[in-house]
Amino acid sequence: MEFQEVLQRRYSCRSYADRPVEREKLASCLEAGRISPSGCNTQRWKFIAVDDPAQCSRMADAMQAPPEIGINTFTHSIPAFVAVLRHPPRRELNEKQKKIIGKFDHQDIDIGIAAQQICLAATDLGLGSIMLGWFEEQAIKNVLSIPEGLSVALVIGIGYAKTESVRKPGRYPAEQIYSWNHYDDEKSS
């Protein structure tokens, strides 16, 4: 698939086929996240892939919102999850880097980049994906035996979309989203 097609096809899939994800494809998605860039190359993330059906069911339970909220009601149909954890830096930083990171902690941005690379890889492999930010963190930590001191930044659901058609969410026109060389209020254009 050409890169622009991958970008066009990537969406938050909320309807999955009853079909497991091949471990090789899931590993390719994880590899895309592993090689993503990070500030000072600290790679402050850890990915936990979940493809065991019983474990996926426990993950789906931990993702459920109270019924009156009505979100994440589809999580029991997701055949694989990737929990993305905040992790301490993987290498020693020099004093200058410590000062910079202390002022501008971009760990969640780095995690977002890694998560998006995972989702784009999934799209390229013919899989659907969704980033999920609402969950009971302690429940996820219990399901995955995550030690104290680490936190769950987000969970990615991955699987084959139930239908081949890609939902085309509306996007604002370019002139409302970006401008060139200075701020331009689209209302005055």
Side-chain angles (χ1 to χ4, degrees):
M1 199 179 301
E2 293 292 320
F3 184 64
Q4 288 299 318
E5 184 182 355
V6 171
L7 293 177
Q8 291 292 326
R9 292 183 59 83
R10 162 67 180 104
Y11 71 102
S12 294
C13 181
R14 290 177 174 82
S15 182
Y16 294 88
D18 185 17
R19 176 179 172 194
V21 176
E22 297 87 346
R23 192 164 270 195
E24 302 79 37
K25 287 188 176 186
L26 200 50
S28 275
C29 295
L30 295 169
E31 182 63 11
R34 185 189 72 80
I35 65 172
S36 68
S38 62
C40 297
N41 197 29
T42 53
Q43 302 169 56
R44 296 184 301 161
W45 52 65
K46 172 131 179 106
F47 310 125
I48 302 174
V50 180
D51 62 355
D52 174 76
Q55 199 65 334
C56 283
S57 181
R58 288 189 279 279
M59 287 289 290
D61 287 343
M63 305 296 296
Q64 295 294 300
E68 63 272 11
I69 295 176
I71 60 173
N72 294 348
T73 58
F74 58 91
T75 56
H76 276 282
S77 71
I78 299 174
F81 292 96
V82 176
V84 183
L85 312 184
R86 291 179 187 91
H87 194 277
R90 296 195 179 278
R91 66 179 194 85
E92 277 299 312
L93 302 176
N94 63 41
E95 290 307 311
K96 186 177 179 182
Q97 291 169 329
K98 286 179 186 175
K99 276 186 178 178
I100 290 169
I101 286 183
K103 281 184 179 177
F104 308 103
D105 187 356
H106 294 4
Q107 184 174 24
D108 284 342
I109 293 170
D110 292 345
I111 284 171
I113 293 166
Q116 182 68 345
Q117 285 196 196
I118 289 169
C119 291
L120 290 173
T123 300
D124 190 49
L125 294 168
L127 299 166
S129 63
I130 186 167
M131 291 187 212
L132 300 159
W134 195 100
F135 48 82
E136 286 294 329
E137 183 180 14
Q138 191 56 54
I140 299 282
K141 290 174 82 168
N142 292 343
V143 168
L144 300 177
S145 303
I146 298 170
E148 289 301 316
L150 297 180
S151 63
V152 183
L154 59 94
V155 175
I156 302 169
I158 299 177
Y160 288 94
K162 196 171 206 169
T163 61
E164 290 296 316
S165 63
V166 175
R167 182 176 55 89
K168 301 247 185 220
R171 293 291 181 251
Y172 291 100
E175 62 273 7
Q176 290 184 14
I177 302 298
Y178 58 83
S179 60
W180 297 94
N181 300 314
H182 66 276
Y183 181 84
D184 183 16
D185 185 355
E186 71 277 355
K187 292 178 194 163
S188 63
S189 302

